[in-house]
Amino acid sequence: MAKFKYYWEDFQPGQVRELGSTTVSREEIIQFATQFDPQPFHLDDEAAKASVFGGLCASGWHTCAMAMRLMVTNFLHETSSLGSPGLDNLKWNKPVFPGDTLRLQHTILETRPMSKRQDVGLVHTVWAMFNQHEEQVLHMEGWAMFRRREKSPEPTPLANK
Amino acid sequence: MAKFKYYWEDFQPGQVRELGSTTVSREEIIQFATQFDPQPFHLDDEAAKASVFGGLCASGWHTCAMAMRLMVTNFLHETSSLGSPGLDNLKWNKPVFPGDTLRLQHTILETRPMSKRQDVGLVHTVWAMFNQHEEQVLHMEGWAMFRRREKSPEPTPLANK
């Protein structure tokens, strides 16, 4: 009786999942930026208009955090997820503005066993987030660890010499 | 009369800056995770003890957000920063636990003019965060855009033909 719907064995390269959407408010953008990224273009309309972004926009870390929330709520909570060692090639392609609705798409690139732990496997994925105009606002390539459904059998002991 | 202390021209490869430290509480870890990363090992002591992390620990996105806050407060607010297009090679090397004190170190790898905009330059940097045991908890390599102190002169017009 499995505890989760998805274990490492259930992931295959090429699988694409739509992981829902979220709408971000002006208040949420300012609240996150006040706490973690108080740069003028995340807090102040006039400063933001004069910036390269052209208007008040979300911290890139806020965009990542919103993607993570969709990932957990609409996927990871049904999996044997054990966290992530890191990621690569993170791009904030476009600014995220107040009222934007962001959807997350998740594609599996590759899976491999973990050499150090027989009960854990790694999964390499692309996260892509799009706004309501179908413009991509976020891209990243992450590694995640998942518990395996069944441990591989222990290696057969070498014959006594 | 420059508005900022540091413009793109002031950054040189090899410069290392210590950007202060911050201490994270259990309440802050749980608050961030509740909003953005509600996985059991970020919220619940028993689940976390049974996880690969061995105890309740911060969301990796929370660690990044704390690094960003130090970056803004202790560096970017004195600069002509224009935001970042993205980053590479992000590693969450070790878990961050309640009560940990994290310090941020920033090293400049490379600078280059921006081909599309004469008034903007790019800076390639390493962010490294360490806990109070001098264990590295975060590594990333980011690109940032900074306004230049002075525009390059406009290209000389071609002679009339």
Side-chain angles (χ1 to χ4, degrees):
Chain A
M1 282 166 303
K3 186 175 170 193
F4 299 107
K5 186 169 174 187
Y6 299 110
Y7 289 79
W8 176 76
E9 288 82 352
D10 300 310
F11 303 120
Q12 305 297 334
Q15 288 173 342
V16 180
R17 288 179 169 82
E18 295 293 335
L19 298 182
S21 67
T22 188
T23 300
V24 64
S25 71
R26 179 184 165 82
E27 291 65 36
E28 288 164 335
I29 286 174
I30 291 174
Q31 185 179 25
F32 187 99
T34 300
Q35 193 173 2
F36 294 118
D37 191 353
Q39 296 188 84
F41 37 75
H42 300 317
L43 294 172
D44 178 76
D45 285 313
E46 290 307 309
K49 267 183 210 158
S51 78
V52 292
F53 305 117
L56 189 130
C57 61
S59 168
W61 299 112
H62 191 184
T63 305
C64 291
M66 289 188 283
M68 189 69 202
R69 179 56 196 256
L70 291 174
M71 182 65 66
V72 174
T73 302
N74 297 324
F75 179 56
L76 292 181
H77 86 283
E78 292 190 308
T79 74
S80 63
S81 170
L82 298 169
S84 166
L87 58 88
D88 249 322
N89 201 16
L90 189 160
K91 304 277 183 214
W92 290 295
N93 310 77
K94 291 261 183 188
V96 170
F97 296 113
D100 277 0
T101 296
L102 307 172
R103 71 175 174 87
L104 182 65
Q105 187 183 73
H106 183 233
T107 302
I108 294 179
L109 295 178
E110 180 189 352
T111 71
R112 63 165 77 146
M114 195 168 187
S115 50
K116 286 185 296 189
R117 293 197 47 176
Q118 290 197 326
D119 56 341
V120 178
L122 289 161
V123 179
H124 194 198
T125 66
V126 172
W127 306 33
M129 210 173 205
F130 301 87
N131 65 21
Q132 68 277 19
H133 310 297
E134 287 303 309
E135 296 166 329
Q136 187 162 2
V137 299
L138 179 69
H139 170 99
M140 54 188 167
E141 296 164 24
W143 285 97
M145 299 176 287
F146 292 89
R147 201 173 291 284
R148 296 177 67 155
R149 194 177 288 274
E150 291 181 16
K151 272 191 189 184
S152 307
E154 294 294 325
T156 310
L158 291 171
N160 290 335
K161 53 182 173 171
Chain B
M1 282 165 306
K3 186 174 168 191
F4 299 109
K5 186 170 174 186
Y6 300 110
Y7 288 79
W8 176 76
E9 288 82 353
D10 301 310
F11 303 121
Q12 304 297 333
Q15 289 173 341
V16 179
R17 288 179 169 83
E18 295 294 336
L19 299 182
S21 67
T22 188
T23 300
V24 63
S25 72
R26 179 183 165 82
E27 291 67 33
E28 288 165 335
I29 287 174
I30 291 173
Q31 187 179 22
F32 187 100
T34 300
Q35 193 173 0
F36 294 117
D37 191 354
Q39 296 188 85
F41 37 76
H42 300 317
L43 294 172
D44 179 76
D45 286 315
E46 290 308 309
K49 267 184 211 157
S51 78
V52 292
F53 305 115
L56 189 129
C57 60
S59 167
W61 299 112
H62 191 186
T63 305
C64 292
M66 289 188 282
M68 189 68 203
R69 179 56 195 255
L70 291 174
M71 181 64 66
V72 174
T73 303
N74 298 325
F75 179 57
L76 291 182
H77 85 283
E78 292 191 306
T79 75
S80 61
S81 169
L82 298 170
S84 165
L87 57 89
D88 249 322
N89 200 17
L90 189 160
K91 305 277 183 215
W92 290 294
N93 310 79
K94 292 260 182 188
V96 169
F97 297 113
D100 277 1
T101 296
L102 308 174
R103 71 174 174 88
L104 182 64
Q105 188 183 70
H106 183 233
T107 302
I108 294 179
L109 295 178
E110 180 190 354
T111 71
R112 65 166 75 145
M114 194 167 189
S115 51
K116 284 184 295 188
R117 292 198 46 177
Q118 290 197 327
D119 56 340
V120 178
L122 290 161
V123 179
H124 194 199
T125 67
V126 172
W127 306 32
M129 210 173 204
F130 301 88
N131 66 20
Q132 68 277 18
H133 310 298
E134 287 304 310
E135 296 165 330
Q136 187 162 2
V137 300
L138 179 68
H139 170 99
M140 52 187 169
E141 296 163 25
W143 284 97
M145 299 175 288
F146 293 90
R147 201 173 291 282
R148 297 178 68 156
R149 194 177 288 276
E150 293 181 13
K151 272 192 188 181
S152 310
E154 294 293 324
T156 310
L158 291 172
N160 290 333
K161 54 185 172 166

